[in-house]
Amino acid sequence: MDHLADASNQNSQPQTQISHLALDIGGSLIKLVYFCRYSDSCRDDYDDDELRSQNDSLCSKRGNSRPVLEGRLHFAKFETSKINDCLEFLRSMKLRIGGFHESTAPLSDKIFIKATGGGAYKFADLFKEKLGVSLDKEDEMECLVTGSNFLLKAVHQEAFTYLDSQKEFVQIDPNDLYPYLLVNIGSGVSMIKVDGDGKFERVSGTSLGGGTFWGLGRLLTKCKNFDELLELSHQGNNRVVDMLVGDIYGGTDYAKFGLSSTTIASSFGKAISDNKELDDYQPEDVSRSLLRMISNNIGQISYLNALRFGLKRIFFAGFFIRGHAYTMDTISVAVNFW
Amino acid sequence: MDHLADASNQNSQPQTQISHLALDIGGSLIKLVYFCRYSDSCRDDYDDDELRSQNDSLCSKRGNSRPVLEGRLHFAKFETSKINDCLEFLRSMKLRIGGFHESTAPLSDKIFIKATGGGAYKFADLFKEKLGVSLDKEDEMECLVTGSNFLLKAVHQEAFTYLDSQKEFVQIDPNDLYPYLLVNIGSGVSMIKVDGDGKFERVSGTSLGGGTFWGLGRLLTKCKNFDELLELSHQGNNRVVDMLVGDIYGGTDYAKFGLSSTTIASSFGKAISDNKELDDYQPEDVSRSLLRMISNNIGQISYLNALRFGLKRIFFAGFFIRGHAYTMDTISVAVNFW
């Protein structure tokens, strides 16, 4: 979650022509999306291949014979606790924001920027004070559902299932999309029953989300950022930390109730031993257990809510997932297990 | 979870006449229950008032004019990782086990002891080797349901509700007991739909249980035992560690979706900040957040399962609860919130 731009280098850049800019200021992260036309000198600010690929699917490319939007979407993110870096980035980029028509109004003029998330309320005064811009607040759940419906209907191969490390794209009939459960995993988790365009209800959620993974992870490991913790979990073995059914039953399962010996009986249950301190555990094993604990739990609560409302499809979204295979696999396993 | 007996002092005790002994060997704890008749020299091994009160409700007392069972139940517990202390306790007590008739067979004779839990399988050879006794294994869920049904039907003021720090006993009509959801919180959590005597099904569960509270708690605080961690949580403030809706929205709530500013948006979500390390947090605040995270989650999953099967009553049981007011309150709040 390093911020993308080195603000100190921006002053030497030519002015950037941005036709649209929008922000989502969540509890952990600020997400920026902005659109540059090809004639502009917009820098290519992607920091990961997944965002690049998402972007490529949404926009035409320079090399294409028939550009559709004649421009490109750019994504950027900052940690919310580093809001000042974000403000500095916006200032030093000398962004110019307008519609699709040429605009020469600098950012410091009285401009409204679309913004969503709790931070649109929390930091409204700060944006006004530091950049002179007003945040035009939109409701985050409405934006989430509208965006989700748009992507699911308009973008081929947007949705996919994930199980046993296999990603399989799902082609959804737009006439058979609703109702579905949208599970948005940010710092916390919101579960939204979507019944149609603009028709939705937040039916459930859990406080065990991405913020819990990263918050507990920071306290338990020496990791310095979210992605490092996630990367570490790849190499870990949760069985070192979790108490499995087999640990309780002496290596055998509890077949009568469908509990195999490798089922996690108690997350972090092995850490109850007096013999080991935090430093005695490998951070990769701790990270893996944390990820399984939180992903399993989200999968289970999602499944129970889908059952409750008779919803046949659950879509998982949010920064916590971001194409991370093991996370998706764990959530899928949990949905299928319960 | 200190063990109750100081084994080194036992040799000077007279031989103890125990007519019944049974064990439950779980992932975290070994629970012993044994019955002594009044003529015996059984020591009074209670270590907390709650167990004493439970016991008093089950047995007649010395001072009673009409003793019913002519004896008293005793409860003891050991950490499962200290199984050798438990074996030493049993050996040094020179327990004599029989039926209600006088028995002079010492423990080292070939005796069967009723035992349940995974440890009855895992440690069967150890009991045989060290004490010469065989464990007569009973299925733990069957025992749990049978015991639960018995207590709910036979014992006045066994069940109670808990909300806003108010404990209210519930008188249950034995003819209107079933079906109910039994949520047993041990190291992990089992959720059992009980339809009648001996009629039950394990319908759900979660790996976030007492073992998670104590395992994560040990790693995050300097606490040396479960009860110390629980006690610490009394004095803590979870708002220091948890990210609340108000933290994201700048002190306001998200009323549109029924989320007040004090609702926990992300458990441990405040710990994502770069500025604080583990040592910068007070262990009581960490402990409080952990307890809320786990109790809330259990309450939520229980509620969703009760909804799913149309069960009007949920009974929470298991060592994790043990009359701990804040734990019960949190679970109740979660059931009512969702």
Side-chain angles (χ1 to χ4, degrees):
Chain A
M1 288 199 289
D2 298 319
H3 63 89
L4 299 171
D6 181 350
S8 61
N9 290 335
Q10 300 305 320
N11 291 333
S12 59
Q13 297 271 335
Q15 288 196 344
T16 303
Q17 186 73 31
I18 288 182
S19 58
H20 291 77
L21 166 67
L23 302 166
D24 171 36
I25 312 177
S28 308
L29 289 176
I30 305 171
K31 283 79 72 181
L32 286 79
V33 57
Y34 51 96
F35 186 80
C36 296
R37 280 175 290 158
Y38 289 148
S39 56
D40 307 333
S41 54
C42 241
R43 298 178 328 123
D44 206 340
D45 277 330
Y46 308 113
D47 74 335
D48 79 36
D49 289 343
E50 192 220 350
L51 285 181
R52 182 190 300 274
S53 124
Q54 281 180 18
N55 182 60
D56 286 350
S57 73
L58 285 169
C59 304
S60 62
K61 282 161 256 179
R62 255 177 231 266
N64 276 5
S65 54
R66 288 189 55 206
V68 184
L69 295 173
E70 298 184 346
R72 176 174 268 186
L73 280 175
H74 294 251
F75 298 89
K77 63 182 192 297
F78 293 83
E79 291 180 33
T80 305
S81 60
K82 295 177 179 166
I83 178 87
N84 285 323
D85 289 353
C86 175
L87 293 166
E88 191 52 41
F89 170 73
L90 289 170
R91 183 206 304 279
S92 66
M93 286 281 279
K94 298 191 191 307
L95 302 176
R96 289 166 176 276
I97 303 172
F100 273 98
H101 59 87
E102 277 297 325
S103 167
T104 53
L107 193 65
S108 56
D109 278 0
K110 284 175 185 171
I111 295 177
F112 282 87
I113 299 177
K114 290 282 183 194
T116 187
Y121 297 83
K122 185 175 181 177
F123 299 116
D125 292 346
L126 194 66
F127 272 80
K128 190 76 185 168
E129 178 196 330
K130 292 284 179 75
L131 297 180
V133 300
S134 300
L135 297 183
D136 188 10
K137 304 173 195 72
E138 296 285 344
D139 181 78
E140 70 175 285
M141 302 250 181
E142 277 177 19
C143 292
L144 180 67
V145 170
T146 304
S148 171
N149 284 343
F150 169 73
L151 291 174
L152 287 168
K153 285 184 196 169
V155 182
H156 183 66
Q157 296 204 327
E158 175 62 23
F160 53 85
T161 59
Y162 209 94
L163 197 56
D164 296 333
S165 309
Q166 294 295 315
K167 186 174 180 174
E168 193 175 323
F169 283 97
V170 178
Q171 195 52 35
I172 294 160
D173 177 356
N175 298 316
D176 187 34
L177 174 60
Y178 308 111
Y180 68 86
L181 188 70
L182 179 59
V183 178
N184 195 52
I185 314 176
S187 307
V189 182
S190 280
M191 299 183 187
I192 303 162
K193 178 169 162 279
V194 182
D195 292 306
D197 283 331
K199 287 177 60 184
F200 65 93
E201 184 189 359
R202 185 186 191 276
V203 292
S204 195
T206 169
S207 69
L208 284 92
T212 313
F213 175 63
W214 176 217
L216 275 173
R218 270 202 74 235
L219 298 182
L220 292 167
T221 71
K222 308 285 183 199
C223 282
K224 289 295 171 206
N225 66 55
F226 183 92
D227 288 331
E228 186 186 330
L229 184 69
L230 206 52
E231 185 58 39
L232 207 60
S233 73
H234 279 291
Q235 300 130 39
N237 179 1
N238 71 297
R239 299 180 186 194
V240 177
V241 183
D242 292 340
M243 186 187 286
L244 309 184
V245 169
D247 293 324
I248 301 176
Y249 275 80
T252 63
D253 55 19
Y254 193 12
K256 192 170 174 180
F257 293 98
L259 298 170
S260 78
S261 64
T262 56
T263 302
I264 300 174
S266 176
S267 293
F268 284 85
K270 272 207 189 115
I272 62 173
S273 153
D274 268 333
N275 311 326
K276 280 182 158 187
E277 302 297 326
L278 180 54
D279 289 343
D280 298 325
Y281 290 97
Q282 298 297 318
E284 52 267 37
D285 298 335
V286 170
S287 164
R288 183 87 163 197
S289 290
L290 261 185
L291 186 62
R292 285 211 61 173
M293 178 178 95
I294 289 164
S295 300
N296 272 338
N297 194 60
I298 294 171
Q300 181 179 16
I301 296 177
S302 302
Y303 166 73
L304 288 168
N305 274 292
L307 265 190
R308 173 184 175 192
F309 295 106
L311 309 173
K312 63 181 176 184
R313 283 203 198 96
I314 309 173
F315 295 110
F316 294 92
F319 195 84
F320 181 66
I321 300 208
R322 279 182 315 140
H324 188 251
Y326 188 73
T327 310
M328 294 189 285
D329 213 30
T330 311
I331 291 175
S332 293
V333 167
V335 170
N336 283 282
F337 182 84
W338 292 108
Chain B
M1 288 200 286
D2 300 318
H3 63 88
L4 299 170
D6 181 350
S8 62
N9 290 335
Q10 300 304 320
N11 291 331
S12 59
Q13 296 271 335
Q15 288 196 343
T16 304
Q17 186 74 31
I18 288 182
S19 59
H20 290 77
L21 167 67
L23 303 166
D24 172 34
I25 312 177
S28 308
L29 290 176
I30 305 171
K31 283 78 73 179
L32 285 79
V33 56
Y34 50 95
F35 187 81
C36 297
R37 281 174 292 159
Y38 289 149
S39 56
D40 306 332
S41 55
C42 242
R43 297 176 331 121
D44 206 339
D45 278 329
Y46 307 113
D47 74 335
D48 81 35
D49 289 344
E50 192 221 350
L51 284 181
R52 183 189 301 274
S53 124
Q54 281 179 19
N55 182 60
D56 286 350
S57 72
L58 284 170
C59 306
S60 63
K61 282 160 258 179
R62 256 177 230 265
N64 275 6
S65 53
R66 289 189 53 204
V68 184
L69 294 173
E70 298 184 348
R72 175 174 268 187
L73 279 176
H74 294 252
F75 297 89
K77 65 182 190 298
F78 293 82
E79 291 181 33
T80 304
S81 60
K82 294 178 179 166
I83 177 88
N84 285 323
D85 289 353
C86 175
L87 293 166
E88 191 53 40
F89 171 73
L90 289 170
R91 184 207 304 280
S92 66
M93 286 283 278
K94 298 191 193 305
L95 303 176
R96 289 165 178 275
I97 303 171
F100 273 97
H101 58 87
E102 277 296 327
S103 165
T104 52
L107 191 65
S108 58
D109 279 0
K110 286 175 184 170
I111 294 176
F112 282 85
I113 299 178
K114 290 282 183 194
T116 188
Y121 297 83
K122 186 176 180 177
F123 298 117
D125 292 345
L126 194 66
F127 273 80
K128 190 75 185 169
E129 179 196 330
K130 293 283 180 76
L131 298 179
V133 301
S134 300
L135 298 182
D136 188 9
K137 304 173 195 70
E138 296 284 346
D139 180 79
E140 69 175 286
M141 302 254 180
E142 278 177 17
C143 292
L144 180 66
V145 171
T146 303
S148 172
N149 284 343
F150 169 74
L151 291 173
L152 288 169
K153 287 184 195 170
V155 182
H156 184 66
Q157 296 204 328
E158 174 63 24
F160 53 87
T161 60
Y162 208 94
L163 197 57
D164 296 333
S165 309
Q166 294 296 315
K167 186 174 180 174
E168 192 175 323
F169 283 98
V170 178
Q171 195 53 37
I172 294 160
D173 177 356
N175 298 317
D176 186 34
L177 174 60
Y178 308 113
Y180 68 86
L181 188 69
L182 178 59
V183 178
N184 196 52
I185 314 176
S187 307
V189 183
S190 280
M191 299 183 185
I192 304 163
K193 177 168 162 281
V194 182
D195 291 305
D197 282 331
K199 285 176 62 184
F200 65 92
E201 183 189 359
R202 184 186 193 276
V203 291
S204 196
T206 169
S207 70
L208 283 93
T212 313
F213 175 62
W214 175 217
L216 275 172
R218 271 202 73 236
L219 297 182
L220 291 168
T221 71
K222 308 285 183 200
C223 282
K224 289 295 171 206
N225 65 55
F226 183 92
D227 288 332
E228 187 186 330
L229 184 69
L230 207 52
E231 185 59 39
L232 207 61
S233 72
H234 279 291
Q235 300 131 37
N237 179 1
N238 72 298
R239 298 179 186 195
V240 177
V241 182
D242 292 340
M243 186 187 285
L244 309 184
V245 169
D247 293 324
I248 301 176
Y249 275 79
T252 63
D253 55 18
Y254 193 11
K256 193 170 174 179
F257 294 98
L259 299 170
S260 78
S261 64
T262 57
T263 301
I264 300 175
S266 176
S267 293
F268 284 85
K270 272 207 189 117
I272 63 174
S273 153
D274 269 331
N275 311 327
K276 279 183 159 187
E277 302 298 324
L278 181 54
D279 289 344
D280 298 325
Y281 291 98
Q282 298 298 319
E284 52 266 37
D285 298 335
V286 170
S287 164
R288 183 87 162 196
S289 290
L290 260 186
L291 186 62
R292 286 211 60 173
M293 177 178 94
I294 289 164
S295 300
N296 272 337
N297 195 59
I298 293 171
Q300 180 179 16
I301 296 177
S302 302
Y303 166 73
L304 288 169
N305 274 292
L307 265 190
R308 173 184 174 192
F309 295 105
L311 308 173
K312 65 181 175 185
R313 282 203 199 96
I314 309 174
F315 295 110
F316 294 92
F319 194 84
F320 181 67
I321 300 207
R322 279 181 314 140
H324 188 250
Y326 188 72
T327 309
M328 293 189 286
D329 213 30
T330 312
I331 292 175
S332 293
V333 167
V335 170
N336 282 283
F337 181 83
W338 292 108

